[in-house]
Amino acid sequence: MELLSGLLSSLGLSGAAGLNAFIPLLVVGLLDRLGVMTLAEPYDLLASPWVLLGVAVLGALDFVGDKIPGVDHLLHLAGGVVNTAAGAVLFASQSGIAEVPPSLSLILGVVVAGGVHATRAAVRPVATATTGGLGNPVVSTAEDGLSLGMSLLAVFIPVLGALALVGVLFLGFSLWGRLRRRRRAL
């Protein structure tokens, strides 16, 4: 049962990283620091005060920059690497998946976070084009909220965290299809 719970938690956290790399890293690091969860080595470095401070600073810069049209697209390009790397680390960090080879967990984290990030990156330009950039702060704030919610669910109720991942992917594909149809109509 611990293996299943760990896998579901890993899926939810890596999916959350696809939306925002810094929120799930902060959540996991802070929860380990507060003793709510325990990260195995070397992932316990996420709870280091210096790592938490660095992630928080980068997260704050990303939070602001992602609300600005143009800057958000540059951040999404960099996010192709940053978000997938964070997803890989978060997937592998869950102690309940010790039976899964580390290389496989890293690959799975890259695939999940990369898939979510690719969906996000596909939706954003269409949202920018159809709203003249005015919708970007709203979409970005929704992504941040989803990332936080998925992170917390993945840690405390892993089944719901994994279901949230499925919901986010379904929502992303639905929005992308709707926005593309609306753009073609214009």
Side-chain angles (χ1 to χ4, degrees):
M1 191 63 168
E2 187 177 328
L3 175 63
L4 179 61
S5 178
L7 285 171
L8 293 174
S9 182
S10 296
L11 287 168
L13 286 169
S14 59
L19 291 170
N20 183 315
F22 305 103
I23 290 174
L25 289 171
L26 278 173
V27 166
V28 168
L30 288 171
L31 290 176
D32 183 76
R33 185 117 183 114
L34 296 171
V36 175
M37 68 184 301
T38 304
L39 295 172
E41 287 186 26
Y43 306 105
D44 59 343
L45 286 173
L46 291 172
S48 158
W50 290 109
V51 171
L52 285 171
L53 178 63
V55 170
V57 168
L58 290 172
L61 293 172
D62 179 73
F63 181 82
V64 173
D66 198 38
K67 310 298 186 266
I68 303 167
V71 174
D72 65 338
H73 295 304
L74 294 175
L75 289 172
H76 288 185
L77 288 174
V81 173
V82 174
N83 292 53
T84 54
V89 168
L90 287 160
F91 197 104
S93 74
Q94 298 308 292
S95 60
I97 62 164
E99 294 83 8
V100 177
S103 57
L104 178 59
S105 16
L106 290 170
I107 291 168
L108 290 171
V110 165
V111 169
V112 172
V116 171
H117 182 73
T119 303
R120 170 190 184 210
V123 169
R124 187 62 75 88
V126 180
T128 300
T130 56
T131 65
L134 298 176
N136 287 23
V138 174
V139 172
S140 176
T141 301
E143 292 167 353
D144 294 340
L146 283 170
S147 181
L148 177 60
M150 282 177 64
S151 298
L152 294 172
L153 285 173
V155 171
F156 294 112
I157 313 170
V159 170
L160 292 181
L163 287 174
L165 170 62
V166 171
V168 164
L169 288 172
F170 177 77
L171 178 65
F173 286 123
S174 296
L175 285 173
W176 185 62
R178 269 192 231 154
L179 291 171
R180 282 188 59 174
R181 284 190 296 276
R182 183 180 294 167
R183 187 174 178 196
R184 282 188 212 150
L186 296 176

